[in-house]
């Protein structure tokens, strides 16, 4: 049974970089042909796909935040990570990692982490 767990700071100051890690257990992030995504949900808003990294290490990004986003992996630790630079209060959201992507409806992704709340405040 595949499980995902997000980790990282719950509070980030404006202009700083957010760094989150998703630890995967019960399965490998290199398993063909899965991809692993980061998704966020701001208050009173819907789910927003941010980007993904595929089983072969290829990264994909949402055009709206591509310039600020980096997704990479550590296969030895079976983890994948998100970095989002130049944080603003508009980036405050619950951040999720999930198995699925880079295409398709995020609601159809089959395994999700529990989510981690990120607040942006000085």
């Amino acid at each position: 049974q595949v499980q995902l767990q997000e980790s990282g700071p719950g509070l980030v100051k404006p202009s700083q970089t957010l760094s989150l890690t998703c630890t995967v257990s019960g399965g490998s992030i290199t398993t063909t042909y899965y991809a692993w995504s980061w998704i966020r949900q701001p208050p009173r808003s819907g789910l927003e796909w941010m980007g993904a990294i595929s089983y072969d290490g290829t990264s994909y990004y949402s055009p709206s935040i591509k310039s600020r986003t980096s997704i990479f992996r550590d296969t030895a630790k079976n983890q994948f990570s998100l970095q989002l630079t130049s944080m603003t209060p508009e980036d405050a959201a619950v951040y999720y990692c999930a198995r699925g992507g880079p295409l398709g409806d995020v609601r159809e992704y089959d395994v999700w982490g529990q989510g981690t709340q990120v607040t942006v405040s000085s």
Side-chain angles (χ1 to χ4, degrees), residues 1-5 23-28 78:
Q1 178 181 354
V2 176
Q3 294 182 317
L4 283 65
Q5 179 66 59
T23 300
V24 179
S25 59
S28 173
N78 213 35

Side-chain angles (χ1 to χ4, degrees), residues 5-24:
Q5 179 66 59
E6 303 91 350
S7 60
L11 176 64
V12 180
K13 294 182 179 179
S15 80
Q16 288 188 338
T17 296
L18 172 68
S19 295
L20 296 176
T21 294
C22 183
T23 300
V24 179

Side-chain angles (χ1 to χ4, degrees), residues 59-76:
S59 297
Y60 304 85
Y61 301 103
S62 169
S64 64
I65 55 172
K66 181 177 181 179
S67 64
R68 299 196 290 134
T69 309
S70 179
I71 297 175
F72 52 93
R73 66 181 185 173
D74 185 333
T75 56

Side-chain angles (χ1 to χ4, degrees), residues 48-103:
E48 176 190 7
W49 180 80
M50 302 177 68
I53 187 163
S54 69
Y55 69 98
D56 64 357
T58 304
S59 297
Y60 304 85
Y61 301 103
S62 169
S64 64
I65 55 172
K66 181 177 181 179
S67 64
R68 299 196 290 134
T69 309
S70 179
I71 297 175
F72 52 93
R73 66 181 185 173
D74 185 333
T75 56
K77 295 181 179 180
N78 213 35
Q79 297 174 331
F80 63 105
S81 298
L82 168 75
Q83 287 190 341
L84 184 64
T85 64
S86 304
M87 293 285 285
T88 73
E90 287 68 39
D91 293 311
V94 178
Y95 285 73
Y96 299 93
C97 58
R99 186 173 72 176
L103 302 176

